[in-house]
Amino acid sequence: MGVFLYFVYHVNLLPLVLFALLTFSFSFLVIQFRVEKFIYKRINKIYKDLTLLESVSFRKDSITTDMATLTKQIDEFAKNKKLEIETLKVREEYRKEFMGNISHELKTPLFTVQGYLETLLDGAIDDNNVAEKYLNRANKGVERLIYIVKDLDMITKLEVGDLSLDIITFDIVQLVQSVFELLEMKAAKKKITLTFDMDYNNPILVKGDQERIQQVLTNLIVNSIKYGQEKGTTEVSIERLIKNKVIVRVTDNGEGIEKQHIPRLFERFYRVDKSGSRKEGGSGLGLAIVKHIIEAHDEKIYVESEYNIGSEFSFTLEKAE
């Protein structure tokens, strides 16, 4: 219309251009307002509902109609939520299994103690021989309960980082030898030989909490004795891994562990034997405690095993200068 009027009639061009610019600006602002109100506010609500982005950070960039970006972000959000749900399901299964295991571990000695005490209360206490025998058995049940509770307390402190480590320099060869001497009688019952892989004539100095590392060695060697074969061998080797690391290996020729069980060996109360029996005793927390102690030292623990051939547990330690 402006072009037509310009050629047919004499029209001042400046007001016409100004009017066109004002009309364009007004139209742009109206359209932007409508987009803001009916599109971006709704998109922003989607973000708020999904907790994908903070509402305050949504309008940092210029207005865009890139719905593909929004779709991509929502797809990523949905994938992440699906992963979270699957993780929660796994944790829920683990929680149920853990609660079942801990109730089994606690109720067995509790019912044992209760049974002996009830027998004594029913009149057996009058027989001195029976009373002494039942009291001793009840006492063993209480000791087992205390053992489980102490291990639970320790593993809880290790998990939350509430157990401080007393890092010192000590001779790992001498520590292994002292553990051998402690467990010598236990190994002798199954005629298992506790030995080094070679003669260590010189000390090997490492850094760590000596008491906790002794607990690690004790738990690993006790396990090798429990599940070792008669007249078998438990062998400890200490090797230089890299310049400032050594690796301690505990190897046996016992029952071994099937491959499907290895990833879960360090879980609390996890049993390779699903029969529910605990014929070898223990709290079921030994390997979990071992793992947490080693990780508290910022070190690694490894396991290799072949069923009916034997197992090897190894862990690293920092070598002292």
Side-chain angles (χ1 to χ4, degrees), residues 69-231:
T69 301
L70 175 63
T71 304
K72 182 180 177 182
Q73 289 174 333
I74 292 176
D75 285 343
E76 289 176 359
F77 175 82
K79 288 177 183 176
N80 290 336
K81 285 298 176 186
K82 183 179 179 181
L83 183 62
E84 286 181 20
I85 290 168
E86 289 174 353
T87 304
L88 287 172
K89 285 180 178 178
V90 171
R91 288 180 180 176
E92 177 64 13
E93 287 299 317
Y94 172 76
R95 185 192 67 81
K96 289 178 180 177
E97 187 175 347
F98 172 72
M99 293 303 294
N101 284 331
I102 195 172
S103 64
H104 174 80
E105 295 296 332
L106 292 174
K107 77 181 181 183
T108 303
L110 276 173
F111 288 167
T112 301
V113 172
Q114 184 186 36
Y116 288 131
L117 292 178
E118 285 179 350
T119 303
L120 291 170
L121 289 172
D122 287 341
I125 197 169
D126 296 328
D127 186 329
N128 291 334
N129 292 330
V130 174
E132 184 178 357
K133 181 171 68 174
Y134 279 22
L135 284 171
N136 283 329
R137 290 180 180 177
N139 185 55
K140 286 182 180 178
V142 172
E143 284 177 355
R144 177 164 166 72
L145 280 172
I146 293 170
Y147 183 55
I148 293 171
V149 171
K150 279 184 177 179
D151 279 357
L152 276 172
D153 180 57
M154 176 177 288
I155 202 169
T156 301
K157 287 180 178 177
L158 285 165
E159 285 179 344
V160 300
D162 194 31
L163 190 67
S164 59
L165 299 176
D166 181 19
I167 304 297
I168 61 170
T169 298
F170 61 93
D171 181 9
I172 187 66
V173 176
Q174 185 179 355
L175 186 64
V176 173
Q177 187 61 53
S178 66
V179 173
F180 280 170
E181 290 169 2
L182 266 171
L183 301 174
E184 188 177 7
M185 302 234 359
K186 190 177 186 69
K189 289 179 181 177
K190 293 183 73 171
K191 299 179 181 179
I192 290 176
T193 304
L194 304 179
T195 183
F196 284 103
D197 66 319
M198 57 178 281
D199 291 330
Y200 292 94
N201 298 318
N202 299 317
I204 300 175
L205 300 180
V206 296
K207 290 181 179 179
D209 187 318
Q210 185 173 352
E211 185 181 344
R212 300 301 174 200
I213 297 301
Q214 181 175 354
Q215 187 175 7
V216 167
L217 286 166
T218 302
N219 284 349
L220 292 179
I221 294 172
V222 164
N223 274 355
S224 74
I225 294 170
K226 281 181 182 178
Y227 303 107
Q229 62 180 357
E230 293 280 345
K231 300 180 181 180

Side-chain angles (χ1 to χ4, degrees), residues 89-101 155 223 257-274 278 284-289 291-292 301 303 313:
K89 285 180 178 178
V90 171
R91 288 180 180 176
E92 177 64 13
E93 287 299 317
Y94 172 76
R95 185 192 67 81
K96 289 178 180 177
E97 187 175 347
F98 172 72
M99 293 303 294
N101 284 331
I155 202 169
N223 274 355
I257 305 160
E258 293 178 341
K259 287 184 179 179
Q260 66 266 28
H261 298 298
I262 291 177
R264 300 190 62 188
L265 274 181
F266 297 101
E267 291 180 14
R268 290 174 289 183
F269 299 117
Y270 181 74
R271 287 192 187 90
V272 173
D273 178 12
K274 294 297 181 181
R278 181 73 74 179
L285 296 167
L287 287 178
I289 289 173
K291 179 176 181 287
H292 282 293
I301 185 163
V303 56
F313 288 83

Side-chain angles (χ1 to χ4, degrees), residues 13-104:
L13 188 60
L14 183 61
L16 188 63
V17 170
L18 290 175
F19 177 76
L21 289 173
L22 286 171
T23 304
F24 173 79
S25 300
F26 178 77
S27 301
F28 176 80
L29 291 173
V30 168
I31 292 170
Q32 181 170 344
F33 172 77
R34 302 301 289 177
V35 169
E36 173 80 10
K37 185 173 180 62
F38 290 101
I39 297 179
Y40 281 96
K41 282 190 176 179
R42 295 183 182 183
I43 292 174
N44 197 18
K45 186 176 184 305
I46 293 173
Y47 278 118
K48 284 181 182 179
D49 291 342
L50 297 178
T51 64
L52 186 60
L53 294 174
E54 294 182 5
S55 58
V56 294
S57 65
F58 180 71
R59 282 295 313 281
K60 287 183 179 178
D61 299 326
S62 58
I63 292 176
T64 176
T65 56
D66 186 8
M67 298 302 290
T69 301
L70 175 63
T71 304
K72 182 180 177 182
Q73 289 174 333
I74 292 176
D75 285 343
E76 289 176 359
F77 175 82
K79 288 177 183 176
N80 290 336
K81 285 298 176 186
K82 183 179 179 181
L83 183 62
E84 286 181 20
I85 290 168
E86 289 174 353
T87 304
L88 287 172
K89 285 180 178 178
V90 171
R91 288 180 180 176
E92 177 64 13
E93 287 299 317
Y94 172 76
R95 185 192 67 81
K96 289 178 180 177
E97 187 175 347
F98 172 72
M99 293 303 294
N101 284 331
I102 195 172
S103 64
H104 174 80

Side-chain angles (χ1 to χ4, degrees), residues 2-13 16:
V3 171
F4 174 76
L5 290 173
Y6 178 76
F7 285 104
V8 176
Y9 301 100
H10 180 71
V11 178
N12 191 351
L13 188 60
L16 188 63

